[in-house]
Amino acid sequence: MFTPASRYHGSESALYRPPDGGEPVPYVRRRFLPDPAELTPVGLHTVGEGDRLDRVAAAAFGDPELFWQLADANPVLDPAELTARPGRRLLIALSAAAGGSVHGF
């Protein structure tokens, strides 16, 4: 259902069946953040002026769509916080489910 680069890859899907007997609605079950102990640290990135998560992910993972791995490794309520302050250090980490190589770090 989702590409391997998606944070929802491997997530279970389910059907909501309305109580009125209406058409069932497919949905993806909730995704929980991984346990930090299950992440594999592979580097650090110091946020520079104008940095964006997609660009940091492209440099770190070779794919800008893997920005969610940065959010998983550096939990905040709003992902924009991760690059809002130059000088902040971001952990670059792979989840147990993440495959592939890391570029640039």
Side-chain angles (χ1 to χ4, degrees), residues 22-86:
E23 190 71 29
V25 179
Y27 68 96
V28 176
R29 293 194 184 272
R30 179 184 287 181
R31 175 186 178 269
F32 292 99
L33 290 176
D35 178 349
E38 294 178 5
L39 299 176
T40 302
V42 294
L44 292 171
H45 172 78
T46 302
V47 174
E49 191 68 42
D51 265 355
R52 293 186 351 204
L53 272 189
D54 60 335
R55 290 182 178 167
V56 175
F61 306 122
D63 185 343
E65 291 186 10
L66 294 178
F67 70 90
W68 58 270
Q69 286 186 239
L70 295 168
D72 281 0
N74 301 276
V76 293
L77 291 177
D78 179 0
E81 291 177 48
L82 295 175
T83 55
R85 184 176 47 88

